[in-house]
Amino acid sequence: MPIVKVFDVEGGANGGASSGGGVAGLPDWEVVDVTDGSWTSSDPGGNGRVSSVAVAGTGTTVTWNGFTAVSDDSVDGSTFNGQRYYKELTYPDGTTVNVSDAGWTLETWVDTPAVSGCARTQFALGVASDPTSTSTVTSNMSGLYWTPDRTDGVALIGQIRTNASPLTALNLNNQYGFGRNDFAGGSPGQTFGWAIKTDGTSAGFNNRSMTAYSGTVYLQFSMGAPGTRVITSGQTNKFSLFYRVIKTPIGPEGNRP
């Protein structure tokens, strides 16, 4: 069977990729820049695990303080006390996304090249109901998940939903992750995470049904570390992170309610 590219990939993390990439009828990708003033920072545990987050171009660099992680540092445990950033989810025109809208989809993308010796930490970007809650069930966060869980920096890439164990795919050529959360008529569908290799071919994808949402919909970006993991002061992670919200009316114009 011939190898078929999933996407044509260009550029790379930390400045190489374009923040555009819009296709006719689809909105451009937005860079996740938690330093641009539109995001709220929250560290419920007050542990200060993250030393700094810097964004240059499309590239993000997270620098960590030194610590040995406990269970509450893990983004996928029952309790997550760690650093997260959040904001209300809006369409490209600034209109607020409502759960009850006829149809909408959040798409997410990460470019995370392997960097030997990087911090072996965890990241997740997706939708949430209560982004400041330390209960992962109450927070109701689901979306794209990745973790450079190896000393060579190769990331496991997949999806996360509340306190369920993340479903990931590992390939030594993993570099990109594509996430998707879809809603129709107030009902959530699937949260989806796709691992993609450097050459653009698939490394595997995973999905789960989302739980019910109500009230304000938030975009949440979480960063943590698995329990017992030792993170050295000054260790970093580098990646480029993007999202876009697509309004998806149900049915063709002229032949729908």
Side-chain angles (χ1 to χ4, degrees):
M1 179 179 294
I3 295 176
V4 178
K5 284 191 176 183
V6 179
F7 298 100
D8 285 327
V9 292
E10 297 179 358
N14 295 291
S18 169
S19 61
V23 178
L26 293 175
D28 284 347
W29 291 92
E30 299 287 337
V31 176
V32 173
D33 181 356
V34 298
T35 69
D36 68 4
S38 67
W39 296 76
T40 299
S41 172
S42 178
D43 180 12
N47 297 318
R49 303 306 199 195
V50 175
S51 174
S52 66
V53 180
V55 180
T58 64
T60 293
T61 300
V62 177
T63 303
W64 298 84
N65 291 313
F67 65 98
T68 299
V70 296
S71 60
D72 292 354
D73 286 308
S74 178
V75 301
D76 60 319
S78 296
T79 302
F80 172 52
N81 285 333
Q83 180 68 51
R84 77 284 310 266
Y85 296 86
Y86 66 92
K87 63 179 177 179
E88 288 191 24
L89 192 62
T90 61
Y91 295 109
D93 64 2
T95 304
T96 299
V97 173
N98 292 304
V99 173
S100 60
D101 289 345
W104 59 274
T105 299
L106 170 68
E107 293 188 342
T108 52
W109 180 269
V110 67
D111 174 2
T112 176
V115 178
S116 181
C118 70
R120 295 172 63 195
T121 47
Q122 301 169 302
F123 299 91
L125 176 67
V127 294
S129 295
D130 186 352
T132 62
S133 176
T134 59
S135 164
T136 51
V137 171
T138 301
S139 174
N140 203 13
M141 194 275 188
S142 62
L144 177 64
Y145 170 88
W146 72 99
T147 173
D149 198 45
R150 298 162 49 95
T151 56
D152 59 10
V154 172
L156 285 74
I157 301 171
Q159 62 84 240
I160 189 172
R161 187 203 64 196
T162 60
N163 64 343
S165 296
L167 300 175
T168 61
L170 172 63
N171 185 284
L172 295 183
N173 294 307
N174 274 358
Q175 180 170 345
Y176 305 98
F178 175 64
R180 189 173 181 130
N181 299 73
D182 53 80
F183 289 74
S187 298
Q190 299 284 314
T191 181
F192 172 95
W194 192 353
I196 300 167
K197 294 181 281 187
T198 299
D199 66 1
T201 56
S202 176
F205 61 88
N206 291 279
N207 62 285
R208 273 197 180 104
S209 296
M210 288 182 283
T211 56
Y213 284 77
S214 61
T216 303
V217 183
Y218 293 93
L219 181 64
Q220 179 174 329
F221 177 34
S222 302
M223 48 189 74
T228 73
R229 181 64 49 79
V230 177
I231 306 300
T232 303
S233 178
Q235 277 192 301
T236 62
N237 297 106
K238 297 185 178 184
F239 49 83
S240 293
L241 188 59
F242 307 84
Y243 76 97
R244 64 182 177 186
V245 183
I246 304 169
K247 202 167 191 175
T248 49
I250 306 303
E253 186 69 35
N255 294 97
R256 63 175 184 242

